[in-house]
């Protein structure tokens, strides 16, 4: 019989593992009154287990019940959501992956400095939407070089003095390389 080895990198990445652990910890502290803003991760089994233990999945801060603790999922959210949570008054825990949070910080700072922001990734992915939310939802989001070369995008790029390109953390490296090559 052949020997079976498990890869060292099998399982969740650091950010996802951290987010899942935070939700389970909050369930114990908050006696099951926990809601995640969207599914905490892209793993149906984990999400279903959390739901069985009492976690609600909501899509909008307005859906939070009084005294229910909110958890910002591993993909992160835009600045507007933090403002809404403050206004609503519910406690929350930020389970955004630290690598994603770092991209948020960079995008916010550079956007405030006047940089034009490009995001390589899937525009329907919550991580990309969250990143875009840190630059006023003004970024050009693309997943292949042809999207950058659309006339409206080229016109905006040609007017930009400073450009910052970032990527969805799960973006395929070959896609990133092809897109950045097109920019240069």
């Amino acid at each position: 019989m052949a020997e079976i080895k498990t890869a060292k990198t099998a399982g969740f990445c650091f950010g996802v593992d951290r987010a899942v652990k935070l939700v389970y910890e909050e369930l114990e502290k908050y006696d099951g009154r926990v809601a995640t803003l969207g599914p905490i991760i892209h793993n149906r089994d984990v999400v279903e287990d959390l739901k069985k233990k009492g976690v609600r999945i909501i899509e909008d801060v307005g859906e939070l019940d009084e005294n229910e603790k909110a958890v910002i999922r591993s993909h992160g959210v835009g600045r507007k959501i933090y403002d809404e949570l403050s206004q609503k008054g519910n406690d929350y825990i930020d389970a955004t992956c630290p690598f994603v949070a770092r991209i948020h910080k960079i995008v916010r700072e550079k956007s405030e400095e006047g940089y034009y922001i490009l995001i390589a990734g899937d525009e329907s992915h919550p991580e990309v939407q969250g990143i875009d939310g840190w630059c006023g939802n003004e970024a050009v989001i693309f997943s292949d070089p042809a999207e950058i070369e659309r006339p409206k995008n080229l016109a905006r790029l040609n007017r930009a003095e400073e450009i910052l390109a970032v990527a969805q953390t799960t973006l395929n490296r070959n896609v990133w390389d092809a897109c950045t090559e097109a920019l240069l």
Side-chain angles (χ1 to χ4, degrees):
M1 176 179 220
E3 181 181 359
I4 298 174
K5 291 184 179 184
T6 303
K8 289 180 183 178
T9 58
F12 296 144
C13 69
F14 158 76
V16 166
D17 186 56
R18 176 183 163 272
V20 170
K21 285 178 181 171
L22 285 171
V23 176
Y24 281 111
E25 288 170 11
E26 289 308 308
L27 270 171
E28 289 180 24
K29 292 180 201 172
Y30 249 72
D31 194 30
R33 294 182 325 273
V34 176
T36 61
L37 292 166
I40 191 71
I41 61 171
H42 294 310
N43 182 304
R44 186 176 21 131
D45 293 333
V46 171
V47 170
E48 286 304 314
D49 185 58
L50 289 168
K51 285 166 79 175
K52 286 178 190 170
K53 290 179 172 26
V55 172
R56 287 189 331 120
I57 298 171
I58 61 172
E59 296 301 324
D60 186 87
V61 171
E63 296 175 51
L64 280 168
D65 293 336
E66 191 175 331
N67 296 320
E68 187 173 39
K69 189 153 192 181
V71 180
I72 296 171
R73 64 181 162 187
S74 58
H75 305 105
V77 294
R79 182 187 314 205
K80 177 183 169 204
I81 301 300
Y82 291 91
D83 294 341
E84 290 174 5
L85 284 165
S86 291
Q87 289 174 351
K88 180 86 173 159
N90 291 63
D91 286 339
Y92 71 89
I93 188 161
D94 192 345
T96 303
C97 169
F99 297 125
V100 175
R102 183 170 182 267
I103 295 170
H104 290 176
K105 181 180 183 286
I106 292 166
V107 165
R108 177 185 51 82
E109 289 171 353
K110 293 304 180 185
S111 177
E112 289 172 357
E113 291 174 19
Y115 279 65
Y116 186 72
I117 308 297
L118 299 171
I119 304 171
D122 176 358
E123 68 183 334
S124 66
H125 194 281
E127 180 185 333
V128 172
Q129 293 167 353
I131 295 168
D132 194 26
W134 287 95
C135 61
N137 298 309
E138 302 270 329
V140 168
I141 301 168
F142 60 95
S143 58
D144 70 56
E147 293 173 18
I148 299 169
E149 296 171 4
R150 290 184 181 150
K152 74 173 188 169
N153 293 339
L154 281 177
R156 291 169 73 187
L157 284 170
N158 288 335
R159 289 192 308 268
E161 290 184 32
E162 302 282 350
I163 298 170
L164 172 72
V166 297
Q168 177 180 338
T169 58
T170 56
L171 186 72
N172 179 297
R173 178 68 189 229
N174 293 332
V175 173
W176 171 252
D177 289 344
C179 289
T180 55
E181 237 179 72
L183 289 170
L184 303 175

